[in-house]
């Protein structure tokens, strides 16, 4: 019996070392954590609690899918393992929109506006501005991608600086309302936004399926991809549009999270490699494990009232520093 057990353990270890086995293991672990979150410690009136947990789980899964997949794709086109859409200022547009509305009109509009209408406006402004910027610089001006990335980084700093300046001019009550609206939260998502956000993320991911092999070639570098016949600028622009849609949708749903994608993407590379047919699903699965498992540990095991995004940003910041110091940016 002992020998049989050891043989089974060795086979399980070998399957974990194989990328496909590791992906299935991550998927199974994510599904198990979701089930534990849903069905443990249910109160007497379990119907209401189960419905509330289902909404929370749906928001977490959508956010994990959007952030994890968009980070893997963004690091593919930039050939850099420490750059994320959040670091590049994609979510700075979200903060700027909220702050400008609060400064110009007041917080009443932010609070009283229909959630779906606010989501659509934020989606169009965030996604549209990013796509327009990259289209103008990348396709019309034919600039190098790294120059465009630098331009995005500078614009992100500019947006954050303007946002910080305007927030200092707000009265304390308005500032408190604005902080509450712009702080990331996985547990207070609006039910009306789950379906449109989920559909948009699924459509964005499905649009990448026909170019999945071109994405693998892009990982080899721009010159290699062009020499192998990949229409580099067209494929990169397609990826940027998908990234902008996913980041804008998830940010409008749960708020901005800067370092979350950095963690899950690099863990996915270590688990299954860089082939996108495995790395993107692995990043999504790891994201679900991190978010759902982290919320489970914080709220039910430790009983802490700390929001999970605070912990994720802290760990992600340390992870970012480690990647820079160890020279693993590429």
């Amino acid at each position: 019996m002992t020998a049989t057990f050891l043989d089974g353990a060795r086979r399980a270890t070998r399957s974990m070392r194989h990328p496909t086995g590791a992906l299935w293991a991550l998927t199974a672990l994510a599904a198990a954590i979701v089930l534990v979150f849903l069905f443990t410690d249910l109160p007497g009136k379990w119907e209401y609690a189960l419905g509330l947990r289902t909404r929370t789980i749906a928001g977490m899964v959508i956010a994990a899918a959007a952030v994890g997949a968009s980070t893997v794709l963004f690091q593919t086109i930039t050939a850099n393992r420490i750059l994320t859409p959040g670091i590049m200022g994609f979510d700075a547009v979200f903060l700027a929109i909220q702050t400008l509305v609060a400064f110009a009109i007041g917080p009443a509009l932010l609070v009283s506006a229909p959630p779906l209408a606010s989501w659509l406006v934020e989606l169009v402004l965030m996604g549209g501005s990013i796509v327009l910027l990259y289209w103008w610089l990348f396709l019309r001006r034919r600039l190098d991608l790294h120059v465009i990335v630098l331009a995005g980084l500078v614009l992100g700093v500019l947006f954050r600086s303007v946002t910080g300046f305007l927030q200092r001019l707000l009265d304390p009550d308005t500032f408190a309302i604005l902080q509450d609206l712009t702080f990331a939260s996985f547990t207070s998502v609006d039910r009306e936004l789950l379906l449109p956000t989920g559909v948009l993320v699924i459509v964005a991911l499905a649009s990448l399926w026909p170019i999945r092999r071109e994405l693998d070639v892009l990982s080899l570098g721009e010159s290699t991809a062009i020499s192998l016949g990949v229409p580099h600028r067209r494929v990169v622009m397609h990826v940027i549009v998908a990234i902008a849609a996913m980041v804008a949708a998830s940010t409008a749903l749960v708020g901005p999270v800067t370092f979350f994608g950095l963690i899950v993407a690099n863990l996915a590379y270590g688990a299954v490699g860089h082939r996108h047919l495995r790395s993107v699903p692995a990043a999504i699965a790891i994201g679900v494990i991190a978010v759902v498992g982290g919320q489970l540990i914080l709220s039910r095991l430790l009983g802490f009232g700390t929001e999970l995004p605070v912990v994720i940003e802290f760990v992600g910041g340390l992870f970012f520093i480690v990647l820079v110091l160890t020279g693993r940016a590429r």
Side-chain angles (χ1 to χ4, degrees):
M1 182 178 294
T2 303
T4 304
F5 175 78
L6 291 176
D7 290 340
R10 292 191 189 99
R11 286 194 296 269
T13 303
R14 285 195 296 268
S15 67
M16 281 294 293
R17 291 175 181 173
H18 194 276
T20 303
L23 177 59
W24 281 110
L26 289 172
T27 304
L29 180 59
I33 291 177
V34 167
L35 292 176
V36 170
F37 186 92
L38 280 176
F39 296 109
T40 56
D41 296 331
L42 282 173
K45 297 183 178 181
W46 58 268
E47 295 90 349
Y48 174 78
L50 190 60
L52 187 62
R53 292 182 184 183
T54 303
R55 183 189 69 181
T56 302
I57 285 289
M60 290 179 176
V61 171
I62 292 172
V67 176
S70 62
T71 303
V72 170
L73 295 169
F74 192 77
Q75 291 180 353
T76 295
I77 64 175
T78 59
N80 194 301
R81 291 179 62 178
I82 64 174
L83 291 180
T84 68
I87 294 175
M88 295 304 302
F90 279 58
D91 54 356
V93 182
F94 170 78
L95 298 175
I97 293 170
Q98 302 285 345
T99 303
L100 285 173
V101 172
F103 184 81
I105 304 176
L109 180 61
L110 291 174
V111 176
S112 61
L116 186 58
S118 299
W119 181 82
L120 286 173
V121 171
E122 293 163 2
L123 177 67
V124 171
L125 291 178
M126 281 189 291
S129 61
I130 297 300
V131 170
L132 183 62
L133 172 67
Y134 277 81
W135 172 81
W136 179 58
L137 293 177
F138 192 58
L139 293 184
R140 293 296 300 271
R141 299 293 302 275
R142 310 291 292 183
L143 295 178
D144 184 77
L145 183 61
H146 295 89
V147 177
I148 300 171
V149 169
L150 180 60
L153 181 61
V154 172
L155 288 176
V157 173
L158 175 63
F159 277 124
R160 291 187 180 96
S161 300
V162 172
T163 299
F165 173 73
L166 292 178
Q167 288 179 353
R168 288 182 175 87
L169 300 179
L170 297 173
D171 62 85
D173 293 336
T174 303
F175 179 76
I177 295 174
L178 182 64
Q179 286 291 98
D180 183 63
L181 292 174
T182 56
F183 188 78
S185 176
F186 295 109
T187 58
S188 59
V189 297
D190 195 289
R191 187 187 300 271
E192 295 180 30
L193 305 181
L194 291 176
L195 180 60
T197 306
V199 169
L200 184 59
V201 171
I202 291 173
V203 170
L205 290 174
S207 71
L208 299 169
W209 177 260
I211 62 170
R212 62 192 182 279
R213 294 183 177 87
E214 285 85 348
L215 292 176
D216 292 334
V217 179
L218 284 182
S219 302
L220 303 176
E222 179 180 353
S223 58
T224 304
I226 293 174
S227 65
L228 292 174
V230 174
H232 181 264
R233 291 187 177 269
R234 181 177 62 82
V235 173
V236 168
M237 197 63 216
H238 182 171
V239 174
I240 288 173
V241 172
I243 291 172
M246 288 188 287
V247 172
S250 64
T251 303
L253 178 67
V254 301
V257 281
T258 303
F259 291 109
F260 178 54
L262 179 72
I263 300 173
V264 300
N266 282 276
L267 291 179
Y269 302 147
V272 301
H274 289 265
R275 188 179 179 186
H276 290 80
L277 196 61
R278 292 190 290 261
S279 62
V280 172
I284 295 173
I286 293 172
V288 173
I289 293 170
V291 175
V292 181
Q295 190 64 42
L296 187 66
I297 293 172
L298 281 180
S299 61
R300 300 191 196 171
L301 296 183
L302 301 180
F304 289 171
T306 305
E307 287 286 347
L308 181 61
V310 176
V311 180
I312 290 177
E313 296 299 275
F314 175 73
V315 176
L318 295 178
F319 192 68
F320 176 82
I321 295 173
V322 170
L323 288 177
V324 172
L325 294 179
T326 55
R328 298 180 182 178
R330 294 182 179 274

